[in-house]
Each structure stands twice: as C-alpha cells, then as structure tokens.
Amino acid sequence: DTGVSQNPRHKITKRGQNVTFRCDPISEHNRLYWYRQTLGQGPEFLTYFQNEAQLEKSRLLSDRFSAERPKGSFSTLEIQRTEQGDSAMYLCASSFSGGATDTQYFGPGTRLTVL
Amino acid sequence: GQQLNQSPQSMFIQEGEDVSMNCTSSSIFNTWLWYKQDPGEGPVLLIALYKAGELTSNGRLTAQFGITRKDSFLNISASIPSDVGIYFCAGFLGDKIIFGKGTRLHILP
C-alpha cells in the first residue's frame, strides 16, 4: 500500500463552479478525515467518517460543502458554487481506530484555487 | 476553542546547529503530536507522545510531553538541509486533531 492518495493534486476553477475531490485512504483504515489548510496556518478539521458513517462536521463546513464515503473506502468532498475564500489546500487523512493508537496519516492534498 | 501556540514562528539557522521549538496550550491535551510538512505535501507524523513527562526520540529528533500536559517541545540535533520545512505541534480533541500554526525552519547555506 502506498499511503493516502488524493486527486486531483491541483484544481483551478472559476468562482461559482462546483468542484469534487477524491481521497483514497490506506486500505485497512476505517476512519477518514478531511482538513483544510490556508496559507500560514495549520490544517483545520472539516469532517470525518468511520466506515461509511459521517460522525462529525465542523462549523467550517458550510452548506456548500458535502462529503461522502458511500462504501466505507474512498471519499469525495464536493464544494458547490465555489467562492474565492474556498481557495486552500484540502487534506485527507486516514487512521485505524481500535488499535493502541489512532495515528492519522495524511495524503498530499488537493490545492484549490478559485479565480 | 482550544488553541495551540507555537514558537518561534520561524527560525533561520546554520547547517549543523541544534534546533528547539515549543508548543503551549491553555487546555490539557492527552496526546501531543509533532508533524513536519514539506512544500506542496501533506503533514508527516514525526513523533507522538502519550504520557505526561514522556521523552521520545526519533533519530535526531527528540520531543517531550510536558508534565502539566499543556506544553511540548521538539528538538532537532545537528540540522541538515532536508530538515527545512514547517513543523506543527498538534493534539487530539476527541477524534480530530488540532494543529498549531507551525514553526518554519530555514537552513542557511
């Protein structure tokens, strides 16, 4: 297994367009997390799944954002009607809960630029 | 909400020097994490600390979990060029991770 993968790595879109990002976690991991990182800041939690269930959503996740993990494996994050303030790096992480530790492993991120 | 305060914000050092950075919180954390992030990449876990007072090493890196559970430090000995990057402290809040704003490490030629 090569770790957490994210696609695309970069996305440039015009304001008002919809975008969708994909995350493929480490295969045996049951938890999947989405974070957002803006310039000069650390990553900020958006939402997470345990298997296919979305267990927590941050207030940062406005109505224009929706995340899914339909089969408990890969996840998608969709942003509708993008705004310039949505420009950021979107990071996905995965972990296995139930072990001695719940270490989260991050993917390389998708950098979104909204023009 | 809970915040992690990292210092310094940035550091400029000579190759071969030792580095020390720290992280404080107004609230207690039960786990402290140190991540490194290279440009255009996701954070990579360096060290995880689970017990107050714990001192853990990973190669040239050493981190300690403060006794009060409100602080942690990371030391890097004999810095090399590939140490350049942003170092984040982080802690678990429930099942999610809260990150500091990072310490950016620069190594002068």
Side-chain angles (χ1 to χ4, degrees), chain A residues 73-88:
Chain A
S73 56
F74 73 91
S75 175
T76 57
L77 178 67
E78 181 183 17
I79 308 174
Q80 296 182 325
R81 304 181 303 281
T82 52
E83 301 173 356
Q84 288 186 324
D86 297 331
S87 296

Side-chain angles (χ1 to χ4, degrees), chain A residues 5 8-9 18 29 34 43 64 73 75 107 109:
Chain A
S5 62
R9 293 293 307 273
N18 299 343
H29 284 183
W34 285 99
R64 297 183 297 104
S73 56
S75 175

Side-chain angles (χ1 to χ4, degrees), chain B residues 32-54:
Chain B
W32 282 90
L33 308 167
W34 285 94
Y35 282 85
K36 178 178 183 260
Q37 186 174 30
D38 291 329
E41 299 295 330
V44 174
L45 181 65
L46 299 175
I47 291 180
L49 302 159
Y50 301 102
K51 290 173 56 178
E54 180 181 353

Side-chain angles (χ1 to χ4, degrees), chain A residues 5-111:
Chain A
S5 62
Q6 293 187 245
N7 288 289
R9 293 293 307 273
H10 303 273
K11 179 71 177 177
I12 300 174
T13 190
K14 292 183 179 179
R15 189 174 53 188
Q17 298 293 306
N18 299 343
V19 293
T20 300
F21 311 140
R22 175 176 170 131
C23 171
D24 287 89
I26 294 171
S27 58
E28 63 268 26
H29 284 183
N30 58 348
R31 286 189 172 175
L32 187 150
Y33 304 78
W34 285 99
Y35 291 81
R36 181 174 71 184
Q37 185 178 23
T38 53
L39 203 61
Q41 303 293 319
E44 295 175 291
F45 171 80
L46 291 178
T47 188
Y48 89 99
F49 295 84
Q50 178 154 315
N51 300 314
E52 62 274 9
Q54 190 171 16
L55 295 188
E56 187 173 349
K57 291 195 287 187
S58 162
R59 65 182 187 278
L60 293 176
L61 212 66
S62 76
D63 292 344
R64 297 183 297 104
F65 288 69
S66 63
E68 294 182 343
R69 194 183 185 201
K71 298 181 181 179
S73 56
F74 73 91
S75 175
T76 57
L77 178 67
E78 181 183 17
I79 308 174
Q80 296 182 325
R81 304 181 303 281
T82 52
E83 301 173 356
Q84 288 186 324
D86 297 331
S87 296
M89 174 82 92
Y90 289 85
L91 293 162
C92 174
S94 71
S95 71
F96 176 72
S97 68
T101 65
D102 191 10
T103 302
Q104 294 182 20
Y105 296 88
F106 283 81
T110 294
R111 180 168 295 284

Side-chain angles (χ1 to χ4, degrees), chain B residues 60-83:
Chain B
R60 293 177 297 106
L61 277 60
T62 302
Q64 184 157 31
F65 192 150
I67 291 290
T68 65
R69 294 194 284 160
K70 292 184 178 181
D71 64 297
S72 177
F73 71 74
L74 175 71
N75 288 343
I76 306 173
S77 62
S79 57
I80 59 177
S82 62
D83 291 335

